[in-house]
Amino acid sequence: MTSLWKIAGGTIYDPANQVDGQIADVWIDGERIVAPPTDPAVRPARTIDARGLVVMPGGVDMHCHIAGPAVNFARRMRCEEKRHAEPVHRTSHTRSGTMGSVPSTFATGYKYAALGYTTAFDAAIAPLAARHAHQELADTPLIDKGFYILLGNNEYLMQQIGRGERERVTAFLGWVLDAAKAYAPKIVNPGGVEIWKQTSGGNVTGLDDQVPHFNVTPRQIILEIARAAAELHLPHRAHIHANNLGLPGNWHTTLDTMRALEGFGGHLTHIQFHSYGGGPDDQDTFCSRVQPLADYVNAHANVTVDVGQVMFGPTTSMTGDGPLGYYLSNLYGTRWFSCDVELEAGCGIAPIEYKDKSLVHALQWAIGLEWYLLVQDPWRVVMSTDHPNGGSFLAYPQIIRLLMDRTWRRDVLATVHPLLRERSLLADLDREYSLGEICIITRAAPARILGLKNKGHLGAGADADITLYTPDDNKELMFELPRYVIKAGQVVVENGEIREPTAGRTFHVAPEFDPAVRADLADWFERYYTVRLGNYPIAAEQLGPGLSPVRCGM
Amino acid sequence: MSTSSLADVVCTHCGCLCDDIRVTLGGGRITAAEHACERGRRWFLGQLPAGEQAAARPVCRIRGQAASLEDGIVAAAEILSAARAPLVYGLTETSCEAQRVAVALADLLGANLDTPTSAAGPVGLGLHSIGEVTATLGEIANRGDVLIYWGCDPAADEPRHFERYTLDRPGMFLPHGRADRAVIVVGTQPTATSAAADQFVPLKPGADFAALWVLRALVQAAPKGTDHGAADAGLDPAVVEQATGQPLSLWKPLADRMRQAHFGAMFYDAQLPAGSGGSWNVEALLALVHDLNVHARFVARALHGGGNPVGADNVLTWQTGYPYAINFAAGFPRFNPDDYRAERLVERGEVDAALILAADPRASWPAAAAERLAALPLVSIDWRATATSEQAAVAFHTSTYGIHHGGIVYRTDDVPLPLRPLLASELPSDVQILGLLEERLRRNLPQ
């Protein structure tokens, strides 16, 4: 009796292996995809008849907020939303939960899987809170996951950069990723959060502002982390939330950041929020500046972006960018949560509603779509809503429809603020995405950008994370309810029903670093932290069996 | 006698959650607890060796009689699966690992789920209505140049609070420690904390809301960047004095001092709303701190008690969306911080059995609710003997978190800390017992 089984006769989209809509079988053994057996006498133990169905790798969300203290505060703050949202009911084999813009953990796992997504990364965890994030991810079933740690305002790092201690920067980066059991370094408003901690209303304005006390600039912080990440051979090196998020005219800063990365390359996240023209503090001149930024991306192969698409409706803004949270809560006069995390990071949360009759919001929506349509190479533009910032991950099928159906896109465009057409190129863009291109921006590209060799494709050796869709002219309908979702070789969802609530894994890196840094950190912790150095690193055995190291290498 | 020592041990005894204790082990006991305060030392040194601990009370008692663990699980599962409206209560004095299984059990049972935190529930409501501007304790240690203690007394409740987090600790931006910080205590009577402060502001009992609202008015009326605020913010001095017990001429310099902070911190007792004023007090405090950020960086910092109440808030929130006062009867979590408070439910006769985990409601609840609780079939899972465990139909005696088994606990500022086992134990942990119970309940309950 063989353990081999197969998905038979589906229409395969596997852009990483140059397969674009061919009919073929996919063979699975245990948790992996395998090459079809050469011996024709081998019979599969079972078969899913996929004739007429579209077969893609499981979706990969490379930037979302699904775990950790900020997410959990947002859940508490938005209890009114949870009361009114359709809840997740307990079944004999699944847990109950609540929705709203910030779902509870079990609900998050079920909803991602039911959408055909099998991997998701939380983008903003302070290392001090890594234990919290790991516990939440352990309670987020079905999907594989991981998180990036906030380092762009880490005071130890800034001090070493300011003193030119480059070897110590590299060693610390390795140490802290290992200590937190994290996947990648994240840079949020480098230097800006520290200035906000020092001064009411403070922030940086550009890459070359000095951060007082530490004598570093945002440029130095970005470059040093990118350099150290390259030396450690991290699979995902620099995940950057640039300075001046959300401010009119911020596209200059964004372009400066891309230019600063020359030689290293890097990933600029929720780029939509960083592509605005107009005068600072003057909403009346707000406009799209995607074109010059997309031109830069088109000309520089080592820069990648995810979009951070805004969708109309209520949601929750949630950021490691403390001053941004304050700015948004003042702008909209809302509740405001903020938490400064010692020596490491900030956090801002505010409810927000994106309205299609607001010119600014309509522009944000259009700017996101411009990004998908103006970057020529889909391998370098990844679908995201920066969940829940621009909208929920559950909006991905709507975005797919907007990209694949220009008639629909124009119909929606006709309903939003009329001045949009003067301030954005969107009405002039005819491009439509193919299914193969959608497959790239929702799984193949994010897996490649993250350095996850076994995700985002269907070749032999890949993780058997596979989504089967029933084709439909309405792509939103097609993508919102997959026919089957297979995770690690098991059918976990059928037609939206959870069959097998498996646990999923948590990825982390374990880079090699110079252990001498610990001696210096002992003094730093003694002076400035309220937690002992001995209690800071998380030992692998303190976490569950789902912890899964990813190799650092060339 | 061979001895060994362990560094960086976490003490769960009070809300400080000190993580720098060095314990010495010998003869199956903890023989020393360096760096601990007197209370912490008593906590560690009072722990029994494995044999004595198990001999003191059996692992399980059914209606007062010693029983095997297996029989106890069967009996407990029978009680809980036969109940139409069970309650799962407590959870604040154990690890997050145990809390996670307890929530799973409540979900499985379609039970009510609550923790002692709901008694001060309005703290959470302030977060819903105002939000909160806060920081971890280290941020206050490194930057906090103006510290306000509002109606709280950490010097008495958390002996090492000053040393570890505030007054007496030098910080990155405050190299001289105490000399670099202004410390003001507001409260109804002088305390150990006010004795260490630069200024004590006596407050008329029950006047928290009025005083906080006066300060809000003064802060809002003051132009940004000025040392002195608008003359009187349109407040009537007679009304202010009558409402707060102090003249406007006292509140005005206080408001100015707060505005002049580089990084101010307002500490308050998580139990503050238990007095008069309900959630309004906390909302006013959080709103004042929010307003102050126009002038200065300013944060609010709630001080919770010992154990792991903040872990319970977090675990319940990530698994259900709500921090306490949850009802699973409809097959999904519903939240009502008033109606679903455990003591309310029990007092009104809306509960017919209860699982009490690491808490003693029989002793801590108001008499009417406590007596009704005692009349119910109870399952107790606790590392201590309590009034509740004494009256439970089934009582499990477990090993102790942070002494015999590890896990995660949360400090008052939501910082998670690791516990490690220090002593051997012959008793199972509550995580193990809850796991066995869940397994048994899955067999009992109709699918």
Side-chain angles (χ1 to χ4, degrees), chain A residues 94-405:
Chain A
T94 59
R95 296 285 302 275
S96 68
T98 50
M99 295 300 294
S101 54
V102 198
S104 55
T105 52
F106 292 94
T108 300
Y110 302 149
K111 293 293 180 183
Y112 259 113
L115 196 66
Y117 271 72
T118 48
T119 305
F121 281 83
D122 188 283
I125 302 295
L128 188 61
R131 264 190 191 85
H132 180 139
H134 278 291
Q135 291 183 92
E136 283 202 30
L137 292 179
D139 281 344
T140 305
L142 288 164
I143 57 173
D144 287 341
K145 51 251 162 183
F147 57 80
Y148 316 145
I149 46 173
L150 298 166
L151 292 172
N153 293 277
N154 183 292
E155 290 167 32
Y156 181 78
L157 206 51
M158 286 193 291
Q159 190 189 70
Q160 301 313 319
I161 293 169
R163 290 177 179 170
E165 295 275 2
R166 309 185 85 182
E167 285 173 16
R168 211 172 257 166
V169 168
T170 309
F172 174 74
L173 183 61
W175 176 84
V176 74
L177 284 162
D178 184 56
K181 297 291 176 283
Y183 190 73
K186 169 80 177 295
I187 303 172
V188 170
N189 185 5
V193 177
E194 173 58 31
I195 295 180
W196 147 258
K197 288 178 174 183
Q198 294 180 16
T199 321
S200 164
N203 203 342
V204 299
T205 59
L207 283 189
D208 297 309
D209 286 10
Q210 281 284 322
V211 181
H213 191 82
F214 297 97
N215 303 317
V216 292
T217 63
R219 183 188 303 279
Q220 289 173 300
I221 296 169
I222 294 168
L223 282 180
E224 273 299 278
I225 293 176
R227 178 196 59 74
E231 282 187 25
L232 294 169
H233 305 300
L234 299 182
H236 184 54
R237 294 182 180 172
H239 195 99
I240 301 166
H241 156 154
N243 303 110
N244 292 334
L245 186 152
L247 301 184
N250 66 6
W251 75 281
H252 292 288
T253 308
T254 310
L255 190 59
D256 285 350
T257 306
M258 289 177 178
R259 284 183 177 142
L261 283 163
E262 259 168 43
F264 293 110
H267 182 82
L268 276 80
T269 189
H270 40 62
I271 192 77
Q272 176 276 127
F273 289 109
H274 301 271
S275 310
Y276 304 155
D281 306 318
D282 184 2
Q283 298 281 342
D284 290 343
T285 56
F286 193 80
C287 64
S288 166
R289 296 297 285 162
V290 176
Q291 185 75 67
L293 294 172
D295 288 347
Y296 186 92
V297 172
N298 287 333
H300 295 82
N302 62 359
V303 176
T304 56
V305 300
D306 69 84
V307 170
Q309 179 68 40
V310 155
M311 299 299 277
F312 300 119
T315 189
T316 304
S317 157
M318 183 187 302
T319 176
D321 192 341
L324 171 68
Y326 186 51
Y327 169 79
L328 289 176
S329 76
N330 282 334
L331 191 63
Y332 295 110
T334 55
R335 287 171 276 171
W336 173 41
F337 176 85
S338 171
C339 182
D340 296 324
V341 179
E342 62 203 64
L343 308 162
E344 295 185 352
C347 162
I349 303 168
I352 191 167
E353 180 169 3
Y354 291 107
K355 297 173 179 162
D356 57 3
K357 300 301 183 244
S358 150
L359 177 58
V360 169
H361 294 166
L363 266 163
Q364 291 181 298
W365 172 81
I367 287 167
L369 293 174
E370 284 183 24
W371 266 106
Y372 293 109
L373 299 171
L374 288 171
V375 173
Q376 287 152 5
D377 176 4
W379 285 93
R380 291 195 287 121
V381 56
V382 171
M383 184 175 292
S384 74
T385 55
D386 185 14
H387 164 83
N389 281 293
S392 168
F393 64 84
L394 294 168
Y396 291 161
Q398 296 170 41
I399 301 173
I400 291 171
R401 187 180 184 194
L402 288 166
L403 297 179
M404 293 191 72
D405 182 347

Side-chain angles (χ1 to χ4, degrees), chain B residues 147-314:
Chain B
L147 307 180
I148 313 285
Y149 289 92
W150 193 284
C152 57
D153 187 15
D157 300 336
E158 304 185 357
R160 297 181 68 209
H161 171 89
F162 289 165
E163 166 201 340
R164 285 180 52 78
Y165 305 126
T166 58
L167 270 62
D168 300 335
R169 180 175 168 144
M172 185 180 290
F173 295 90
L174 307 156
H176 309 295
R178 181 67 183 87
D180 287 338
R181 305 184 200 265
V183 181
I184 299 158
V185 174
V186 183
T188 52
Q189 55 200 3
T191 59
T193 304
S194 68
D198 299 313
Q199 187 189 353
F200 172 60
V201 178
L203 189 64
K204 201 167 96 174
D208 295 271
F209 183 84
L212 290 161
W213 222 251
V214 166
L215 288 169
R216 277 198 83 190
L218 292 164
V219 166
Q220 286 192 350
K224 183 175 162 66
T226 55
D227 275 357
H228 300 288
D232 56 9
L235 293 163
D236 180 335
V239 173
V240 169
E241 185 153 1
Q242 190 265 328
T244 66
Q246 293 294 337
L248 185 56
S249 59
L250 180 139
W251 295 117
K252 208 173 152 305
L254 179 58
D256 288 337
R257 188 68 196 88
M258 291 166 89
R259 290 193 305 109
Q260 291 153 10
H262 286 291
F263 192 101
M266 173 94 89
F267 289 93
Y268 66 102
D269 188 340
Q271 304 292 325
L272 178 65
S276 68
S279 67
W280 294 358
N281 288 340
V282 171
E283 289 182 15
L285 188 143
L286 296 176
L288 170 61
V289 169
H290 181 139
D291 295 347
L292 278 161
N293 277 278
V294 171
H295 305 277
R297 285 310 323 282
F298 222 101
V299 298
R301 177 71 270 148
L303 294 175
H304 292 82
N308 193 20
V310 178
D313 277 7
N314 274 294

Side-chain angles (χ1 to χ4, degrees), chain A residues 516-531:
Chain A
V517 73
R518 287 200 185 95
D520 193 48
L521 283 168
D523 179 61
W524 177 263
F525 268 72
E526 185 75 30
R527 282 170 187 270
Y528 302 127
Y529 267 100
T530 59
V531 169

